[in-house]
Amino acid sequence: MTEAKIPLDRTNADLVIEFAAINDATHSTRERSKRHEEAGGIHDDSIAQRYGYQGALVPGIVICAHTMPALVERWGKEWLKRGRVAMKHIRPGYDQDGLSACYRFGASDEGAHCEIVVMRDDVVLAVGDAAMPNVKPELPEDLPRTTLSVPEQIPLAEPDVLAPGQPLFTTPTLIDAAEHDRLLARIGGETGQWPYGSIHPVAYQHLTSHDAINSFEYSTPGIHVSGDTQMLDWAEPGETLSSSGRVVAVYERKGHHYFETEQLVQTASGRAIALCRRSVIYRTREVNAAQ
């Protein structure tokens, strides 16, 4: 008989870290299309409240970023070359929330792994998992490797328009020391110190998120639902990064419209750094109900 899975929380975790969630609504005009500017951002109080939230949502990638130092401390800097972390966001986090990340570590023939649960008091906000595989996973053979500049006209992210296979565009970004410090400041707390020498993986998640935003015109704010980041190589501040990718799935669930993407983060020379997969609500229920 298979043993029932014990829910992971502070009482039975191998490790618990505490951190404060910080909302970051700093989006420069180059990071949003005009249509997306008009739709507003879910990280702004007034917009988030219009969609039924008590206030601006803390970006999911920021919450995920707080879980990473513990993984490097556990598995070493090699995790930044071939490790993986994934997280699904069940409930929103708000500015200055006191959160706990609970870890349960294990191992298998494929390598080390752990479960992660992020909580606010006794409420689960996110569930995830991480791994340190024995060998670096291979990339899908059909994964796009050519980076595409953002065209003057970009397609709409609307039902019956958005479809699997559509390419994603990119804006190459120099992650120099100043830009890296800015990204770390967006996380805050001890996580923002990052004494490991590499670019923090949140930079890969941030780049792919904004590349996906800039690849379409939106009528409502986008809401990050889940992310899965597979590290492929070490990158240090001073690298110019860009991404290549595509939409891999489009669907509707309970009135929300979702798309899933996969994007390969690369250096200017084409060296693969990370593979980021994401699920996003691109058109929310409020607009659907009004039409």
Side-chain angles (χ1 to χ4, degrees), residues 226-249:
S226 65
D228 188 327
T229 301
Q230 172 66 59
M231 267 67 77
L232 299 169
D233 205 352
W234 179 279
E236 297 182 1
E239 297 271 17
T240 295
L241 303 180
S242 57
S243 74
S244 60
R246 60 190 170 189
V247 176
V248 295

Side-chain angles (χ1 to χ4, degrees), residues 23 41-59 92-95 97 120 223:
N23 176 55
I42 205 68
H43 307 304
D44 301 318
D45 281 327
S46 60
I47 301 298
Q49 289 164 0
R50 184 191 306 169
Y51 288 87
Y53 299 101
Q54 70 181 47
L57 275 60
V58 172
Y94 300 107
D95 191 35
D97 273 351
R120 179 180 56 230
I223 301 175

Side-chain angles (χ1 to χ4, degrees), residues 71-249:
L71 302 175
V72 182
E73 292 301 307
R74 177 81 179 198
W75 293 324
K77 294 182 181 180
E78 191 67 21
W79 183 78
L80 295 163
K81 296 182 180 180
R82 68 172 189 269
R84 173 183 162 272
V85 63
M87 186 160 288
K88 180 178 181 181
H89 301 273
I90 300 171
R91 297 178 181 86
Y94 300 107
D95 191 35
Q96 301 303 317
D97 273 351
L99 303 182
S100 303
C102 308
Y103 302 76
R104 179 185 289 149
F105 294 95
S108 69
D109 292 342
E110 289 75 34
H113 58 83
C114 81
E115 300 171 63
I116 306 172
V117 173
V118 178
M119 309 180 71
R120 179 180 56 230
D121 299 325
D122 294 326
V123 176
V124 174
L125 298 192
V127 294
D129 62 271
M132 178 60 174
N134 294 329
V135 296
K136 183 168 62 178
E138 294 186 4
L139 293 172
E141 291 185 3
D142 63 341
L143 184 68
R145 299 295 296 263
T146 301
T147 57
L148 303 174
S149 299
V150 181
E152 189 171 334
Q153 282 195 316
I154 54 179
L156 297 176
E158 296 290 350
D160 301 322
V161 176
L162 197 63
Q166 285 185 255
L168 300 176
F169 309 111
T170 189
T171 302
T173 302
L174 172 62
I175 310 295
D176 58 12
E179 176 65 9
H180 194 239
D181 287 346
R182 186 182 76 87
L183 289 169
L184 295 178
R186 298 179 70 176
I187 304 169
E190 293 184 10
T191 306
Q193 303 305 310
W194 197 251
Y196 305 111
S198 77
I199 292 175
H200 194 300
V202 76
Y204 316 146
Q205 298 171 333
H206 186 266
L207 170 73
T208 54
S209 173
H210 282 169
D211 281 351
I213 286 173
N214 282 339
S215 292
F216 301 99
E217 297 277 9
Y218 300 86
S219 59
T220 73
I223 301 175
H224 176 83
V225 176
S226 65
D228 188 327
T229 301
Q230 172 66 59
M231 267 67 77
L232 299 169
D233 205 352
W234 179 279
E236 297 182 1
E239 297 271 17
T240 295
L241 303 180
S242 57
S243 74
S244 60
R246 60 190 170 189
V247 176
V248 295

Side-chain angles (χ1 to χ4, degrees), residues 15-36:
L15 173 68
V16 178
I17 64 166
E18 312 286 345
F19 63 94
I22 299 175
N23 176 55
D24 175 16
T26 57
H27 295 275
S28 71
T29 53
R30 73 175 179 85
E31 293 169 338
R32 286 188 181 181
S33 67
K34 181 179 180 182
R35 187 181 176 96
H36 193 248

